[in-house]
Amino acid sequence: SIDIALDLLFRDNFASLRNAILPGEMDKIEFARTLFQSILITDIATPDRVKLGIERFKASQDSQDPDVGLCPLASHISDLFDGVGLDESVKDEHPDEFVVTSSGLKRCVRNEHLMLLSDVSHLCQSWENFIKWNFRLFKELMDCHRKKLCDNPRETWVQGQIAFFDKYIIPLAERSHTFFPDEFGDAIITNAMNNLKLWTMFGIQATNIMALGVRNDEREEAVLMELYGLGSDYLARKGQK
C-alpha cells in the first residue's frame, strides 16, 4: 500500500501537490518517516510487529535513551529513501535525523497509536457505530466464505470479538489515553468497555441476527435496526431502574 501511494503521489499530475508538501529534503525525510511509521504499525496480523509497538510505547514513557533496536524503520531505510526520491547521501548530510532519540521515539509512538486507534475506532465509539461496522465486516467475510476464500466466520465470531476487545482494543485504548485530554481518553476506554459488556450479553443474539440477515439477503437498514435495538433497549431498561 505504501508503494502504491507513493507511486501515485510521484506521478506528473500530482506535481503541484507534491511540491507543496515536499519542497525540500528535510520535508521528504519527515514525510517518509511519518508515512512508514504510521502504515507499518497497522499490520496487526504480525505478532512481532505488535509486540515491538508495545515495547516502543513502554520505552517512550521512560526518560532513558531508547534502544536503537526499537526503531521501526531500521530495516526499511532503503525503501524510505527510494519512495520519496532521496539517496543514501542524506544520512551524511542530515545525520541527526537518523539517530534514535527519546523525543523522536515519543513522536513515533504517538503517530503509531493515532493510526492504530483510527484503524479500529468504531470499537471505541457508540454501540450503534460498533455494531454497524461489525455487521459490515461480517458480511464481507461471509461473502469470502461463500467464495471459499476463508472459513465460516460465524463459528468463531462471538468469542473472537470478546478476545479482540480483551487482548487488543482495551489495552490499546488505555495506552492511547496518554496522548489525549483526559475527557477524550476516558471516553474511548469507557466506550470500549461498554461495547465489550454489551457484546458479552448480546453477542450470540447479534451474530444470529447478522447471519440470518446475510442468508436472507435482507436490507442492511432492517438488520441494523434489530442490532441497534439490542443495546438501546438494554440501556433504556437500565436507565429506568
Side-chain angles (χ1 to χ4, degrees):
S1 60
I2 295 176
D3 290 341
I4 293 172
L6 289 174
D7 177 67
L8 289 171
L9 179 61
F10 276 81
R11 291 183 181 178
D12 291 343
N13 50 322
F14 290 110
S16 296
L17 173 64
R18 189 170 61 251
N19 291 334
I21 62 178
L22 305 173
E25 278 192 345
M26 288 296 294
D27 303 291
K28 291 181 178 180
I29 293 171
E30 181 60 26
F31 175 83
R33 181 165 51 209
T34 303
L35 175 66
F36 274 73
Q37 288 171 352
S38 301
I39 301 302
L40 291 175
I41 193 62
T42 60
D43 178 20
I44 63 174
T46 303
D48 287 345
R49 200 180 296 282
V50 175
K51 181 181 177 182
L52 276 174
I54 294 172
E55 290 178 3
R56 279 194 292 275
F57 173 81
K58 292 177 179 177
S60 73
Q61 305 304 297
D62 195 337
S63 59
Q64 298 181 358
D65 290 336
D67 182 349
V68 295
L70 292 175
C71 177
L73 305 180
S75 60
H76 300 280
I77 290 295
S78 295
D79 295 327
L80 186 151
F81 291 153
D82 291 343
V84 293
L86 296 172
D87 58 47
E88 294 281 342
S89 66
V90 297
K91 287 197 293 185
D92 297 324
E93 296 170 8
H94 308 284
D96 291 345
E97 296 300 316
F98 300 93
V99 176
V100 180
T101 63
S102 178
S103 60
L105 183 66
K106 289 181 187 298
R107 288 194 300 272
C108 170
V109 170
R110 179 201 62 201
N111 292 340
E112 289 181 335
H113 278 69
L114 288 174
M115 280 299 296
L116 287 172
L117 197 60
S118 298
D119 206 30
V120 293
S121 60
H122 65 289
L123 290 107
C124 300
Q125 297 172 353
S126 66
W127 165 260
E128 288 79 9
N129 211 38
F130 157 61
I131 204 68
K132 175 174 68 176
W133 291 100
N134 189 271
F135 175 48
R136 289 178 176 176
L137 176 60
F138 182 84
K139 284 197 297 182
E140 181 179 335
L141 292 176
M142 284 298 292
D143 185 55
C144 290
H145 172 61
R146 283 195 292 265
K147 296 174 181 176
K148 302 187 185 305
L149 298 175
C150 69
D151 295 332
N152 188 341
R154 183 177 182 178
E155 296 174 359
T156 58
W157 199 251
V158 176
Q159 290 303 316
Q161 307 311 301
I162 293 173
F164 194 47
F165 270 112
D166 274 336
K167 297 178 180 179
Y168 184 79
I169 296 300
I170 292 175
L172 171 62
E174 290 172 342
R175 295 196 308 272
S176 299
H177 190 291
T178 304
F179 308 107
F180 299 116
D182 285 343
E183 183 178 359
F184 184 82
D186 291 343
I188 60 176
I189 297 171
T190 299
N191 289 342
M193 295 181 71
N194 285 342
N195 284 332
L196 171 58
K197 180 179 179 180
L198 289 172
W199 183 264
T200 301
M201 297 172 62
F202 301 114
I204 294 176
Q205 190 176 351
T207 303
N208 289 338
I209 291 171
M210 293 181 193
L212 187 63
V214 171
R215 188 182 69 186
N216 295 338
D217 195 25
E218 296 180 30
R219 291 187 306 110
E220 181 182 77
E221 294 81 357
V223 177
L224 289 178
M225 288 305 294
E226 283 193 75
L227 293 171
Y228 293 161
L230 296 176
S232 60
D233 290 349
Y234 167 77
L235 294 174
R237 291 194 303 271
K238 184 179 178 182
Q240 291 173 357
K241 293 181 179 180

